[in-house]
Amino acid sequence: MTEQPETVFRVRGVSKRFALPRQAPWLPRRFVAAVEGVSFEVLRGESLGIVGESGSGKTTLLKLLLGLEKPDAGELRYLGRSLRREVQVVFQDPVSALDPRLSVADIILEPLRVMGLREPRESRLHELLQAVGLPRAASGRYPHEFSGGQRQRIAIARALAPRPRVLLADEPVSALDVSVRAQVLNLLLDLRRDFDLTLLLVSHDLGVVRHLCQRLLVMQSGRVVEAGETPRVFAAPTQPYTQVLLAAIPTLSQRRTA
Amino acid sequence: MGVSAATEAVVRVSDLSVRVGTVEAVHSVGFELAAGRRTGLIGESGSGKTLTALAVMGLLPDGLSARGRAVYREQDLLALSEGELCRLRGDRLGMIFQEPLSALNPVQKIGEQVAEPLRLHRGLGARESLARARELLERVQIPGAVEKLAQYPHQLSGGQRQRAMIAMAISCSPELLIADEPTTALDVTVQAEVLRLLDRLVDEEGATLLLITHDLPVVAGLCDRVLVMYGGHLIEEGAVGEVFDSPRHPYTLALLESIPSLDQELPGGRFQAIPGAVPGLGQFPSGCPFRNRCPRATEICATMPVLEGEGHRAACWHPVS
Amino acid sequence: MSSEVIGLTEPGLEPAWRRRSGLNPSLLAGGILVGAVILAALVSYVWTPFDPTHVVVSDRFQPPGQGGHLLGSDALGRDVASQIMAGARNTLLVGIVTVAIALLIGVPLGGVAALYRGWAEELVMRFSDLVLAFPALLLAFLFAAVFHASTLTAMGAIGIAFVPVFARVVRGAGLQVMEQDYVTAARTFGSSALGIFFRHLLPNVASVMIVQATIAFAIAILAEAALSYLGLGTPPPTPSWGRMLSDSQNYLAQSSTLALWPGLSIALSVLGFNLLGDGLRDLLDPKLVQRIPPQ
């Protein structure tokens, strides 16, 4: 196969800064750079991990990709037909992700309603519930009736509703109980395969990124400090920060030497 | 018990139950914290791990009640009056919480807060206690300790706040230190630093540590004994090496397997999942709380098994061999 | 596909109103008092003991129980009980219209502030400060001077005085809603500001608004009574509790109970709406829901 991989997102020299509250009206406004000179590309069908700690700019980058923020400098392009329809997101907090006043059916079908997509709603709803492993009976219920893992499944079903080509996941399992994380991660693996999704995973959990992403970007203070194939970065990190980050992860095999 | 006979127990908890309203959330839990040892208490949400620790400290919120015994130096902590407990807490018993921002008083300077236990329990004056507070902040390696004394909690970073809370907890050289998810809210690199600090301080103080967490690798790196709780029951306990290398309870095994390895591929290309969800309070099955998610469960599991074994104990009818 | 068996029942997470077994006492007491006012107003349309505006000079100052007058009669021989019943209509009308005015102006203002932030929010908040700083009584005088004092000018003045209260409540609760991930998700698939306002913001601030509306209702009743007492509200002959109170003041020597009935009516209905507001707050506000399920 000599087919050139198709680019989905092209990000070139993108910067975004935010104004700090003025100390006094006569003092000049000060800014803090959230993302600075970031460049990368996302290829069709790949899964890319964005790793960084708080303040690294990974959440701002996610908002830029979603079109919720506009870059101050640089070029950020989605090369598909429609960003709104083809790029969907799953958030970290399964409580805040779902409107408590809406039924599961209303939540999952909301994108279709907003986008005015004509589709047999009932059958699509059942397809989506099945895809995320929830029973049909879930559709008439409300978010508070579900556990964290189940809520995250509902949020994933909503993201899948408009048949996206790219799924952005912002720390999708960090807020879940340890014993249910693997279920949601396996679901993401399955969905990627079944729906041919491009996956962008923002996470601080390197163990998750290691097994879910083929490529990863390491961010620190708004910049991409290291990028590469996941196995390579894990085996031989070239940047000091990546080395520190990898060394900091507690593992089961590191035992206390009493 | 499995702890060597030479080490005495600092705290001996027996038959401890905690009720939330009329629902029993912790079911007659018993364990010992041997002097100078570090014990990790592992559990997910609803496991009862935090309630157990709060009950021992006499810090259960209104509406919750504890039954049983928690003996510290011949005194039953559960039977002490609030005044007697206050004299112990912050002095002989130190506590570190998960969220330092809510555990610290936002309108009081860091120096005053760190100095407070010294004034209360050691009767030190303002000058003396503040000087000690400065030493403590230096000991927990907060950069610029002198300036930090006069600052408020919001002016510190998350890691610095957690260090300040550790400084407060160790200010009177407590015999027992209980840390509830002390690094869960922190970034990985900061977590690593705080854990190293905690490790060193516990050693220097010769304190007994009870570390409550859902994070198994953290326990592996910091503790020498481990207690595993699920659904309000203590289901396994033993030395870290024994429990982590050859777990006997299927839940412990499943938890360990669900942690993705950093240097090996996933078996079969999939994460090792535990079926089902953690039930809500009062929704766990009768008998063994894990039986509705357990691959080994049979009819007999409807009766709760007792903790069995020497040193390494597990409460399971069909233990992993 | 994942094939885990998923249970759906977790009563620990049931909403407060489903978990509460007994009726909350302030809700019950408030409901009974408010229900009595509504009942009196409704019945007065079809039946009152006497015509509330019928003047019988020979029947002046009848004590309660005399001549068929259950609560006595006033200086013009009108039946007090009938006036109280008919006055309930006026009271409810005032409450409904003022709260409606405040809601219709205040909610969109608060919504705009929460949705758009920035200068729009600044404008709304400064406008709120301005109205709050302006004495409501002065506004009522102004309206009465320009438009001729009537129930309508009183309602307008009280309603406008309440606008900032609702604008602030909706903004405050709305800002919290806007920070939720479900709003961010709605923005990613292209929901308009108006869509987010009606779909997410309004339903989620409704409970706070209902509570605020009941309390505003109580204050509005009191304010209208005060304005009518000062002659800035409901003009005669329409029965109004506030004016009954002010009229009775001149004849305290002839009949000491005359002031009692409208005063009691005002006090009890204000109490009723306040209790109802408190009860609804306990029922609807998730922040006050106790975490522990009582069983």
Side-chain angles (χ1 to χ4, degrees):
Chain A
M1 287 270 233
T2 52
E3 201 182 319
Q4 196 68 17
E6 193 186 337
T7 304
V8 188
F9 273 109
R10 181 176 296 143
V11 181
R12 288 212 179 122
V14 162
S15 295
K16 177 72 190 176
R17 53 181 201 168
F18 292 105
L20 292 172
R22 251 183 244 247
Q23 308 254 282
W26 57 88
L27 289 174
R29 210 169 249 293
R30 292 192 305 156
F31 292 88
V32 59
V35 168
E36 244 186 318
V38 165
S39 302
F40 63 95
E41 292 195 343
V42 182
L43 305 178
R44 164 84 59 228
E46 78 166 334
S47 66
L48 176 70
I50 301 174
V51 169
E53 300 185 279
S54 50
S56 64
K58 57 185 188 332
T59 303
T60 306
L61 185 61
L62 191 87
K63 287 192 170 161
L64 287 164
L65 290 171
L66 283 167
L68 295 174
E69 299 280 359
K70 295 270 160 279
D72 295 324
E75 183 196 358
L76 191 151
R77 287 185 113 157
Y78 176 66
L79 301 167
R81 277 191 302 273
S82 156
L83 178 83
R84 287 268 163 272
R85 188 172 165 180
E86 294 175 1
V87 181
Q88 293 297 316
V89 65
V90 177
F91 293 104
Q92 171 175 3
D93 178 6
V95 176
S96 154
L98 312 177
D99 189 333
R101 307 266 164 189
L102 298 182
S103 71
V104 169
D106 284 341
I107 289 169
I108 294 179
L109 294 175
E110 190 178 8
L112 300 184
R113 194 184 53 82
V114 171
M115 293 176 196
L117 298 180
R118 272 173 230 290
E119 231 189 304
R121 301 270 159 97
E122 193 75 1
S123 60
R124 182 74 182 133
L125 179 66
H126 291 149
E127 264 173 51
L128 290 164
L129 285 172
Q130 201 193 353
V132 299
L134 286 171
R136 278 191 179 201
S139 64
R141 296 179 179 252
Y142 286 81
H144 70 262
E145 298 175 69
F146 297 87
S147 70
Q150 292 168 339
R151 282 183 228 198
Q152 208 58 316
R153 288 172 194 266
I154 298 168
I156 293 171
R158 172 178 62 191
L160 294 177
R163 303 179 194 279
R165 309 184 75 174
V166 182
L167 186 66
L168 307 187
D170 186 4
E171 306 273 10
V173 298
S174 311
L176 304 181
D177 270 317
V178 189
S179 73
V180 295
R181 283 183 189 175
Q183 292 173 16
V184 174
L185 293 172
N186 282 335
L187 176 64
L188 288 175
L189 278 174
D190 293 339
L191 295 173
R192 211 170 88 68
R193 186 193 58 219
D194 295 347
F195 297 104
D196 200 18
L197 287 170
T198 305
L199 180 71
L200 257 86
L201 179 78
V202 174
S203 181
H204 71 275
D205 189 337
L206 287 154
V208 169
V209 171
R210 163 81 171 78
H211 299 289
L212 210 53
C213 303
Q214 300 148 328
R215 222 154 55 84
L216 70 89
L217 307 174
V218 180
M219 291 190 72
Q220 186 195 15
S221 325
R223 296 174 185 276
V224 173
V225 292
E226 181 151 7
E229 306 286 317
T230 309
R232 199 278 296 157
V233 176
F234 271 78
T238 59
Q239 298 301 310
Y241 177 70
T242 317
Q243 291 162 1
V244 169
L245 202 60
L246 283 169
I249 311 167
T251 63
L252 282 172
S253 50
Q254 282 169 356
R255 298 288 160 79
R256 171 171 182 251
T257 43
Chain B
M1 301 291 134
V3 186
S4 71
T7 50
E8 52 158 340
V10 170
V11 173
R12 191 172 281 133
V13 174
S14 53
D15 206 20
L16 173 70
S17 299
V18 178
R19 280 180 173 277
V20 177
T22 53
V23 183
E24 194 169 87
V26 176
H27 313 282
S28 49
V29 164
F31 57 88
E32 290 184 357
L33 301 178
R37 292 296 186 91
R38 294 120 167 257
T39 307
L41 177 52
I42 287 173
E44 299 181 88
S45 63
S47 65
K49 61 183 191 303
T50 298
L51 289 182
T52 302
L54 289 176
V56 169
M57 296 291 277
L59 289 173
L60 284 177
D62 285 346
L64 280 69
S65 57
R67 216 163 28 77
R69 286 165 67 80
V71 179
Y72 165 79
R73 297 209 166 275
E74 278 107 54
Q75 317 172 69
D76 183 0
L77 294 172
L78 298 184
L80 291 185
S81 72
E82 184 55 30
E84 290 167 315
L85 273 170
C86 276
R87 243 168 303 175
L88 285 176
R89 280 196 303 253
D91 182 3
R92 307 321 307 142
L93 313 174
M95 190 138 190
I96 301 167
F97 296 94
Q98 173 176 357
E99 190 32 80
L101 198 53
S102 57
L104 293 169
N105 181 347
V107 295
Q108 206 183 7
K109 288 176 184 163
I110 293 291
E112 289 165 25
Q113 299 195 50
V114 175
E116 195 181 340
L118 291 163
R119 284 206 299 268
L120 279 174
H121 300 293
R122 293 284 177 273
L124 296 190
R127 277 182 84 114
E128 226 176 332
S129 63
L130 215 58
R132 277 283 290 136
R134 189 189 141 184
E135 286 169 32
L136 283 163
L137 289 186
E138 280 164 358
R139 254 186 97 188
V140 297
Q141 295 163 327
I142 292 188
V146 183
E147 297 96 81
K148 293 294 186 306
L149 283 176
Q151 289 187 352
Y152 294 93
H154 73 267
Q155 292 171 291
L156 274 62
S157 72
Q160 289 172 348
R161 280 195 290 264
Q162 197 55 284
R163 283 164 194 269
M165 204 151 74
I166 293 174
M168 233 166 107
I170 62 157
S171 58
C172 296
S173 304
E175 197 165 1
L176 173 65
L177 193 59
I178 297 184
D180 187 4
E181 304 271 11
T183 57
T184 306
L186 304 177
D187 276 322
V188 206
T189 53
V190 184
Q191 160 170 294
E193 289 166 19
V194 171
L195 287 175
R196 262 201 299 277
L197 174 75
L198 204 57
D199 186 40
R200 188 170 57 80
L201 290 174
V202 170
D203 251 355
E204 287 173 6
E205 297 287 334
T208 304
L209 176 73
L210 179 63
L211 176 76
I212 299 152
T213 184
H214 67 275
D215 199 336
L216 279 66
V218 167
V219 171
L222 201 66
C223 299
D224 32 42
R225 280 194 76 75
V226 57
L227 307 167
V228 184
M229 284 187 77
Y230 184 82
H233 289 278
L234 181 60
I235 55 149
E236 183 156 6
E237 78 157 307
V240 163
E242 286 175 340
V243 174
F244 282 9
D245 293 336
S246 46
R248 303 222 344 245
H249 200 285
Y251 172 68
T252 316
L253 175 70
L255 262 192
L256 287 163
E257 283 181 339
S258 75
I259 299 167
S261 156
L262 282 178
D263 39 65
Q264 280 165 26
E265 290 307 314
L266 293 175
R270 300 185 66 76
F271 293 91
Q272 297 298 295
I274 304 174
V278 182
L281 182 66
Q283 292 302 115
F284 287 90
S286 60
C288 174
F290 190 58
R291 71 185 165 102
N292 62 336
R293 303 175 72 188
C294 183
R296 292 165 171 257
T298 59
E299 270 169 36
I300 195 172
C301 301
T303 313
M304 182 67 200
V306 290
L307 272 176
E308 276 178 327
E310 270 299 312
H312 182 184
R313 306 193 296 162
C316 182
W317 294 111
H318 312 288
V320 185
S321 48
Chain C
M1 282 319 93
S2 45
S3 56
E4 292 95 17
V5 186
I6 285 162
L8 281 171
T9 41
E10 272 184 79
L13 297 164
E14 289 279 280
W17 55 270
R18 254 187 240 172
R19 274 192 272 126
R20 248 165 248 273
S21 45
L23 253 177
N24 130 10
S26 50
L27 193 70
L28 190 69
I32 289 172
L33 287 172
V34 169
V37 176
I38 295 173
L39 192 70
L42 288 179
V43 171
S44 78
Y45 280 104
V46 288
W47 177 83
T48 47
F50 291 83
D51 178 350
T53 56
H54 186 61
V55 176
V56 186
V57 184
S58 58
D59 255 5
R60 305 175 75 203
F61 300 124
Q62 293 285 342
Q66 286 283 314
H69 299 291
L70 188 65
L71 303 177
S73 65
D74 70 0
L76 297 175
R78 293 173 297 193
D79 180 46
V80 172
S82 306
Q83 285 193 76
I84 294 281
M85 281 177 73
R89 296 197 296 230
N90 192 55
T91 297
L92 288 178
L93 177 77
V94 168
I96 291 167
V97 174
T98 47
V99 170
I101 291 172
L103 279 172
L104 279 173
I105 308 176
V107 173
L109 282 180
V112 164
L115 279 166
Y116 295 102
R117 308 295 309 266
W119 61 266
E121 183 183 18
E122 201 64 24
L123 205 69
V124 169
M125 295 319 287
R126 295 299 81 81
F127 165 78
S128 296
D129 291 345
L130 198 76
V131 176
L132 279 178
F134 198 82
L137 193 60
L138 208 60
L139 198 68
F141 274 120
L142 205 71
F143 275 30
V146 177
F147 301 111
H148 194 73
S150 68
T151 318
L152 201 64
T153 60
M155 293 187 298
I158 305 165
I160 287 172
F162 270 128
V163 165
V165 175
F166 284 93
R168 276 160 183 264
V169 164
V170 171
R171 170 186 165 268
L175 284 178
Q176 277 178 19
V177 174
M178 292 302 287
E179 273 174 19
Q180 302 297 309
D181 287 339
Y182 58 79
V183 171
T184 316
R187 284 171 64 205
T188 65
F189 43 71
S191 283
S192 62
L194 212 62
I196 289 174
F197 179 75
F198 283 111
R199 186 84 170 166
H200 299 294
L201 201 147
L202 216 48
N204 280 290
V205 303
S207 57
V208 198
M209 251 159 48
I210 291 168
V211 172
Q212 196 62 50
T214 358
I215 293 165
F217 209 105
I219 304 174
I221 292 171
L222 209 57
E224 192 275 339
L227 289 179
S228 296
Y229 179 88
L230 294 172
L232 297 170
T234 314
T238 315
S240 147
W241 294 349
R243 218 192 44 261
M244 285 171 73
L245 197 63
S246 94
D247 286 349
S248 67
Q249 196 187 6
N250 303 325
Y251 309 107
L252 274 178
Q254 286 91 334
S255 169
S256 53
T257 54
L258 211 49
L260 184 69
W261 307 117
L264 207 61
S265 305
I266 293 167
L268 286 178
S269 56
V270 168
L271 182 71
F273 276 101
N274 273 323
L275 286 174
L276 192 66
D278 283 352
L280 285 174
R281 191 207 313 271
D282 291 349
L283 198 69
L284 299 172
D285 192 343
K287 270 168 290 182
L288 291 171
V289 169
Q290 53 183 119
R291 294 266 170 82
I292 307 142
Q295 262 156 31

